[in-house]
Amino acid sequence: MRRSLLLGLLPAGLAWPAAAQDRFITLASTTSTEQSGLFGHILPAFTRASGIGVRVVALGTGQALDVGRRGDADALLVHDKAAEERFVAEGYGGPRRQVMYNDFVLIGPASDPAGIAGTRDVAEALRRVSARRAPFVSRGDRSGTHAAELRLWQEAGIDPVRGRGQWYREVGQGMGPALNTAAAQEAYLLSDRGTWLAFRNRQALKLLVEGDARLLNQYGILAVSAQRHPGVKAREAQTFIDWITAAAGQAAIAGYRVNGEQLFFPNAGSSK
């Protein structure tokens, strides 16, 4: 069951090193970490150091947490703190540890029909998008990015579901496909900065809003409970968690750049 899940969902860009075929963990994580290219940079370093392979299932955070609840992963690297804390409180795993952060950014067409370019108040920007009924693409997939987007709409005092099928368009897919949809439709959307920087099919899309403290995008890592799911590889998962939150893993994260720009910022010692 678990192996068939992996074979169906392993991203094509991540190879399994021959030496790690028999000793590996399954990591359920987000599409943003996979599509930004981060895993292709840091996971080979972990495998070289430990002899343990990492097989990634890239999903939205909500789906990744569900994979953990079923015991179909050994560890989770996700970005929805409230949902992660619920996962721990329900006894499915933990403890939750900080790993890294970047931020969310509001993307939109260069023509900017809602007139949001340059504002640092993301709630005000969303109010303008709604008032103009400007096309907005939502991931709509229970991901960490989707959860953050819904929180921001709530802070703006707007229920975007009322615009569903009109100006508010849910795609139910990962960050890359959502960006492609926004590019094709010249729509606004919320993206994590890492995937945006790695995204090539921008067409008329531009980064329009950034810098609001509410746009912080924090990632955490959790082990799946071996008490609840005796089949998980608890020792190997803990080895990975210890590595990514220690000096070597944090340096590997800091060293990942696209066009000279750092995409993720390690902060395993913080309490955000």
Side-chain angles (χ1 to χ4, degrees), residues 198-220:
F199 184 59
R200 294 287 173 263
N201 182 34
R202 295 184 178 184
Q203 299 186 47
L205 293 182
K206 301 290 183 184
L207 193 162
L208 299 176
V209 178
E210 60 183 329
D212 189 321
R214 291 171 290 188
L215 292 171
L216 175 71
N217 182 25
Q218 177 67 55
Y219 290 81

Side-chain angles (χ1 to χ4, degrees), residues 13-98:
L14 286 179
W16 295 349
Q21 290 298 310
D22 297 324
R23 192 177 182 213
F24 66 89
I25 63 168
T26 301
L27 177 68
S29 190
T30 71
T31 61
S32 59
T33 45
E34 188 265 322
Q35 291 171 357
S36 66
L38 177 71
F39 284 146
H41 175 76
I42 69 170
L43 295 185
F46 169 70
T47 298
R48 288 192 298 269
S50 66
I52 300 170
V54 180
R55 303 182 180 182
V56 176
V57 180
L59 302 160
T61 284
Q63 294 170 304
L65 290 166
D66 286 344
V67 169
R69 287 186 176 93
R70 296 194 300 269
D72 285 331
D74 305 300
L76 313 173
L77 200 165
V78 289
H79 62 147
D80 184 348
K81 185 177 180 180
E84 295 161 38
E85 290 176 341
R86 284 195 299 273
F87 183 90
V88 175
E90 292 164 357
Y92 288 104
R96 174 187 181 274
R97 296 178 66 178
Q98 301 293 132

Side-chain angles (χ1 to χ4, degrees), residues 90-139:
E90 292 164 357
Y92 288 104
R96 174 187 181 274
R97 296 178 66 178
Q98 301 293 132
V99 177
M100 61 189 183
Y101 71 95
N102 61 9
D103 62 345
F104 294 110
V105 289
L106 200 56
I107 306 299
S111 59
D112 191 19
I116 67 172
T119 179
R120 294 174 68 88
D121 183 335
V122 66
E124 173 59 24
L126 291 174
R127 283 191 285 268
R128 293 182 193 178
V129 170
S130 174
R132 294 289 184 89
R133 299 174 65 83
F136 187 97
V137 168
S138 171
R139 283 181 55 170

